[in-house]
Amino acid sequence: MKKLVQIVVLVLMLFPIAAYCTEWEPMNNPLSNTDGSLTGIWGTSRDDVYAVGEHQALGIILHFNGRSWSIQRKARKDFAGVWGSSKYNVYVGGTDIIGASSGFGYWHFRPQIDLSTYCFVISVGGICNDMLMTGYCYDKGLSTSSGFVIRYSRLRGARMLGGPSEALEYNNVEVYSAEAHDVNAPYYGFDGTIYDVWTYENAAYFVAGDSGMMKYNGRWMISIPVDTKGIKAIWGSDLENIFLVGRTGKIVRCNIEANPPIITIENPITDVDLSDVWGSSPNDVYAVGSYGTILHFDGKTWSQMDSGIEASLLGVWGESGGDVFAVGYEGTILCKKALSATLR
């Protein structure tokens, strides 16, 4: 009995690091070791994970059921971002296309109708049935591009919160520009690509990209009074702990609840580009990037982890307190099993 108590105590002592997982391991999947790439990943649990990307000029949606990965859908356009509010409400976005699934592998796609403009959806995020897509549009006639943010709701259709002045259409649903602009931000087009979106509870959306970080809760406002250009991804546990990562190893940590906001530009521990960031808490954050780079933040310091690969990583997501997944070039999918899982 005494020995059992000692084991229980040991497990409880280790519990705070249960979310940190053990070793990164490659996962076999239909795209493994190919010239395909996986750029986005999201799930509801370790038994229900989606990865999206491109293979042989086709868009690919992979699904993990807790045992194996399988191709759930192919499309003529590549995919870059995936997000959902539940296993029955999942969205993907890519080149000139968005898709929605109500579960069980049945996907419905909405191709872009306005062929004078290419739209590249890079990230997808949202709250319940309300979704934001970010990326950039390229006008073939004018040879110009600008970042965009589109808000899509199954109930209200779609409208553009910032982007090209021309109206776009998705299956006859007009995507229109915001009705008014904020003096602090452009209302037609952003300065460069919008790479990522993060939503905080039911209150606000945050987007990040070449223009830095901006907040939308009915109107746009600049949220960080510091030069954060070159940001590629954003994630936060709350408004006191928002993490941004980007080019040449840039990492910025923000507390916008403080007055004035507290902005911490972390000392770089790598000079490679970072592509995505995700965490289970402010003390357990992962960032991934070029050449198989994986960084981890334990609440005090960032450290570099051994991914065991050279292929660039483009997306990271995990189950809070559970497994963490990373995806990238060459059809790479890595997983870090939660420590609690290894004890079972």
Side-chain angles (χ1 to χ4, degrees), residues 145-147 186 188-194 209-212 214 229:
S145 63
S146 61
Y188 285 149
F190 293 90
D191 180 15
T193 302
I194 304 297
D210 292 330
S211 299
M214 299 180 69
K229 291 186 176 181

Side-chain angles (χ1 to χ4, degrees), residues 159-161 176-181 187-188 216 218-219:
R159 69 189 184 100
M160 184 165 284
L161 302 181
Y176 55 89
S177 301
E179 59 279 355
H181 70 280
Y187 67 111
Y188 285 149
Y216 180 82
R219 68 189 186 102

Side-chain angles (χ1 to χ4, degrees), residues 258-269:
N259 189 16
I262 300 173
I263 311 300
T264 304
I265 300 179
E266 305 283 2
N267 292 326
I269 64 173

Side-chain angles (χ1 to χ4, degrees), residues 20-336:
Y20 296 169
C21 307
T22 53
E23 299 295 329
W24 287 99
E25 296 181 355
M27 302 185 76
N28 290 327
N29 71 84
L31 269 63
S32 296
N33 302 314
T34 72
D35 58 356
S37 61
L38 295 169
T39 53
I41 186 166
W42 174 89
T44 62
S45 70
R46 74 167 309 277
D47 300 327
D48 181 36
V49 186
Y50 293 89
V52 300
E54 174 273 333
H55 180 239
Q56 295 180 347
L58 293 175
I60 294 289
I61 301 175
L62 300 182
H63 182 258
F64 182 65
N65 62 8
R67 298 179 299 276
S68 62
W69 288 91
S70 61
I71 296 177
Q72 191 172 84
R73 190 63 188 269
K74 294 182 179 181
R76 294 182 180 180
K77 303 283 188 175
D78 61 308
F79 299 112
V82 57
W83 170 86
S85 60
S86 72
K87 66 187 302 179
Y88 304 111
N89 187 33
V90 184
Y91 297 96
V92 296
T95 304
D96 291 343
I97 193 171
I98 61 173
S101 172
S102 55
F104 309 107
Y106 299 109
W107 289 88
H108 304 281
F109 297 103
R110 295 175 177 268
Q112 180 182 313
I113 292 177
D114 181 4
L115 299 180
S116 66
T117 305
Y118 286 128
C119 276
F120 300 86
V121 175
I122 296 176
S123 67
V124 184
I127 303 169
C128 296
N129 289 322
D130 197 56
M131 175 191 65
L132 253 64
M133 298 176 290
T134 69
Y136 71 96
C137 286
Y138 179 76
D139 190 308
K140 292 187 289 186
L142 300 176
S143 298
T144 60
S145 63
S146 61
F148 76 89
V149 179
I150 293 176
R151 186 175 183 176
Y152 177 83
S153 169
R154 286 187 173 181
L155 300 178
R156 295 186 296 273
R159 69 189 184 100
M160 184 165 284
L161 302 181
S165 57
E166 302 87 1
L168 304 177
E169 292 182 351
Y170 288 91
N171 283 6
N172 297 320
V173 177
E174 185 178 4
V175 182
Y176 55 89
S177 301
E179 59 279 355
H181 70 280
D182 189 325
V183 295
N184 294 320
Y187 67 111
Y188 285 149
F190 293 90
D191 180 15
T193 302
I194 304 297
Y195 289 101
D196 203 7
V197 55
W198 171 66
T199 56
Y200 175 66
E201 295 183 343
N202 294 320
Y205 294 96
F206 294 81
V207 299
D210 292 330
S211 299
M213 185 180 85
M214 299 180 69
K215 176 182 177 182
Y216 180 82
N217 58 353
R219 68 189 186 102
W220 288 110
M221 60 181 65
I222 297 174
S223 295
I224 301 182
V226 68
D227 181 8
T228 55
K229 291 186 176 181
I231 292 299
K232 300 291 289 292
I234 178 174
W235 175 86
S237 61
D238 50 54
L239 297 182
E240 296 180 354
N241 296 278
I242 301 175
F243 296 84
L244 301 104
V245 303
R247 296 187 179 95
T248 63
K250 177 180 287 186
I251 300 176
V252 181
R253 187 177 183 184
C254 310
N255 176 356
I256 64 171
E257 283 284 81
N259 189 16
I262 300 173
I263 311 300
T264 304
I265 300 179
E266 305 283 2
N267 292 326
I269 64 173
T270 180
D271 59 359
V272 305
D273 291 348
L274 299 175
S275 303
D276 201 13
V277 60
W278 175 89
S280 66
S281 74
N283 302 319
D284 181 34
V285 184
Y286 296 85
V288 299
S290 300
Y291 308 110
T293 298
I294 302 178
L295 308 181
H296 181 258
F297 182 69
D298 62 5
K300 295 182 179 179
T301 59
W302 287 90
S303 60
Q304 191 147 356
M305 308 183 77
D306 182 10
S307 68
I309 63 169
E310 293 294 328
S312 294
L313 296 170
L314 303 174
V316 61
W317 174 88
E319 182 182 21
S320 183
D323 298 353
V324 183
F325 301 83
V327 297
Y329 290 137
E330 299 176 9
T332 298
I333 302 179
L334 301 179
C335 180
K336 245 182 169 301

